[in-house]
């Protein structure tokens, strides 16, 4: 495994970071808790020291399972990354910015973006309890909240830094202007954003800024929620309550399928899967500090970790990029 410094912080994160959205179950058609916990432990046992989660993932379930999974490991050698700012239980008392309606067990649950100072402090205490730890290595706002001044949210993060409850502060889903605004109040060290072989829009502005200003970029959805594994084109069926039924429709699926078929021989020649090849390509892109990879079981977790064993030459990266231009 390769370990990389996150921005100007003293954090060293594993280049492949465990992404814990799917094990929360909500929006993913459910989960098997035993398999999920085993996937976390298999990741750690294969060199993945960094785990990224959020209260919203499973409405607390993802954090709770990670708390269980890491028992018995040296906490000082792990990096726990979590978030705040998505409220679902009415504790915002009608404040905040409405985001969307989630479905859980047949119920509609309104989700709000809410990042007031008081709410940030409250959420962190709840996260620490679920994760069974007394500090987070990185805390990130989950989504921008237009109802709360960025400066107020940053003030909360500064308080938590001073209290020692977090080691570093970052943001998630912030555009470049929001990052600049946040940095006027607090030196955030990272931005977690969607980035994949099919979604490279941040290369236009955020990546150049990150390179010039030592901002870490944590890339999520590198596999486009499983589309780039190629399995969807073989099986093509998802559970009815799986959000990906709609998510995948944003892509030209025939072109994506053709692209994957073109690069598959390259993966096979390296005794790797398409998933591993795509993950490795993503880790090699400019300004990308770490790449989040989800896993629902131990086998997937091990495969993700071993993606870092793949060596890609400049010519091979050029070949992939040339084929990408055809999509």
């Amino acid at each position: 495994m390769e370990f990389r410094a996150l921005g100007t912080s003293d954090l060293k994160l594993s280049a492949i970071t465990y992404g814990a959205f799917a094990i929360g179950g909500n929006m993913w058609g459910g989960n098997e808790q035993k398999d999920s916990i085993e996937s976390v432990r298999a990741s750690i046992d294969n060199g993945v020291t960094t785990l990224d989660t959020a209260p919203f993932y499973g409405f607390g379930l993802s954090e709770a399972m990670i708390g269980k999974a890491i028992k018995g490991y040296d906490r000082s050698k792990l990096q726990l990354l979590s978030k705040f700012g998505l409220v679902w239980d009415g504790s915002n008392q009608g404040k905040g910015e409405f985001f969307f309606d989630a479905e859980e067990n047949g119920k509609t649950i309104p989700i709000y973006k809410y990042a007031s100072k008081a709410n940030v402090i409250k959420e962190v205490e709840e996260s620490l309890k679920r994760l069974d730890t007394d500090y987070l290595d990185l805390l990130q706002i989950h989504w921008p909240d237009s109802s709360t001044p960025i400066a107020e949210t940053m003030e909360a993060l500064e308080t938590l830094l001073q209290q020692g409850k977090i080691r570093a502060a970052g943001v998630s889903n912030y555009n470049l202007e929001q990052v600049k605004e946040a940095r006027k109040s607090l030196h955030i060290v990272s931005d977690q954003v969607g980035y994949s072989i099919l979604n490279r829009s941040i290369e236009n502005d955020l990546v150049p800024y990150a390179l010039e200003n030592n901002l870490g970029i944590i890339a999520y959805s590198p596999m486009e929620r499983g589309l780039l594994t190629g399995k969807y084109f073989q099986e093509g069926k998802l559970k009815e309550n799986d959000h990906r039924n709609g998510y995948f429709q944003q892509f030209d699926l025939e072109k994506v399928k053709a692209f994957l078929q073109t690069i598959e021989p390259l993966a096979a020649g390296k005794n790797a899967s398409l998933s591993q090849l795509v993950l490795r390509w993503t880790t090699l892109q400019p300004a990308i500090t770490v790449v989040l990879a989800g896993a629902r079981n131990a086998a997937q977790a091990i495969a993700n970790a071993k993606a870092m064993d793949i060596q890609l030459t400049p010519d091979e990266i050029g070949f992939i990029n040339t084929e990408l231009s055809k999509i």
Side-chain angles (χ1 to χ4, degrees):
M1 184 56 63
E2 183 179 325
F3 299 90
R4 299 173 175 179
L6 184 67
T8 56
S9 75
D10 61 359
L11 298 178
K12 290 290 182 68
L13 310 185
S14 53
I16 298 294
T17 288
Y18 185 94
F21 185 9
I23 67 169
N26 58 328
M27 298 175 64
W28 290 83
N31 75 323
E32 293 292 336
Q33 290 195 36
K34 180 176 179 293
D35 290 344
S36 296
I37 289 173
E38 288 178 354
S39 73
V40 175
R41 292 173 175 164
S43 294
I44 297 171
D45 293 342
N46 284 273
V48 174
T49 62
T50 311
L51 312 171
D52 179 88
T53 184
F56 172 68
Y57 302 160
F59 303 117
L61 180 60
S62 175
E63 287 184 325
M65 282 195 293
I66 287 179
K68 292 178 183 178
I70 64 175
K71 289 188 184 303
Y73 290 95
D74 185 342
R75 171 68 180 90
S76 68
K77 294 182 179 179
L78 301 176
Q79 302 84 47
L80 296 184
L81 285 46
S82 198
K83 309 177 188 76
F84 64 86
L86 290 189
V87 177
W88 66 88
D89 58 4
S91 60
N92 58 328
Q93 297 178 328
K95 300 176 183 177
E97 175 188 355
F98 176 75
F99 194 13
F100 67 98
D101 282 325
E103 299 291 331
E104 181 75 2
N105 298 322
K107 294 182 179 180
T108 298
I109 303 175
I111 308 298
Y112 285 81
K113 301 175 186 177
Y114 187 49
S116 71
K117 182 176 181 180
N119 185 64
V120 176
I121 302 298
K122 171 183 174 293
E123 283 201 56
V124 167
E125 293 301 328
E126 293 169 346
S127 290
L128 292 175
K129 185 177 294 186
R130 284 189 290 258
L131 288 161
D132 195 17
T133 186
D134 55 5
Y135 70 95
L136 294 170
D137 294 275
L138 178 71
L139 181 64
Q140 310 150 93
I141 181 172
H142 205 148
W143 283 89
D145 166 26
S146 63
S147 71
T148 304
I150 288 176
E152 178 181 339
T153 303
M154 294 304 112
E155 183 182 345
L157 289 169
E158 185 170 23
T159 297
L160 291 164
L161 283 165
Q162 293 171 351
Q163 293 174 343
K165 292 184 178 178
I166 63 174
R167 291 177 63 193
V171 296
S172 182
N173 296 302
Y174 264 35
N175 62 32
L176 179 56
E177 292 310 309
Q178 290 164 332
V179 167
K180 290 179 177 179
E181 182 65 26
R183 280 192 154 190
K184 291 178 182 177
S185 302
L186 181 68
H187 191 73
I188 55 170
V189 301
S190 61
D191 190 4
Q192 182 175 146
V193 289
Y195 179 77
S196 77
I197 213 164
L198 299 178
N199 173 22
R200 303 170 66 181
S201 61
I202 64 168
E203 294 177 1
N204 297 324
D205 53 8
L206 187 62
V207 165
Y209 175 87
L211 290 170
E212 292 175 9
N213 296 276
N214 203 3
L215 177 77
I217 294 182
I218 299 172
Y220 73 77
S221 290
M223 302 306 302
E224 289 300 351
R225 310 189 189 188
L227 181 64
L228 293 171
T229 65
K231 293 178 183 177
Y232 176 77
F233 299 107
Q234 298 166 0
E235 302 165 6
K237 288 187 178 180
L238 298 168
K239 290 184 179 180
E240 189 176 336
N241 60 340
D242 195 314
H243 76 288
R244 292 175 294 176
N245 285 302
Y247 183 84
F248 288 165
Q249 299 312 307
Q250 69 182 289
F251 303 107
D252 186 326
L253 294 176
E254 285 304 311
K255 287 186 176 181
V256 173
K257 181 180 180 180
F259 167 71
L260 293 177
Q261 289 173 337
T262 302
I263 67 170
E264 193 164 21
L266 176 59
K270 296 180 179 294
N271 295 314
S273 66
L274 275 172
S275 301
Q276 291 173 316
L277 180 63
V278 170
L279 279 176
R280 187 63 175 126
W281 177 93
T282 312
T283 67
L284 293 169
Q285 300 313 298
I288 302 301
T289 308
V290 299
V291 177
L292 302 188
R296 289 184 177 241
N297 56 53
Q300 291 176 357
I302 294 168
N304 289 343
K306 292 188 177 300
M308 289 303 293
D309 295 339
I310 299 171
Q311 300 301 316
L312 289 175
T313 67
D315 285 347
E316 289 168 337
I317 294 173
F319 165 72
I320 293 172
N321 292 342
T322 297
E323 294 306 314
L324 265 180
S325 67
K326 300 175 184 178
I327 297 180

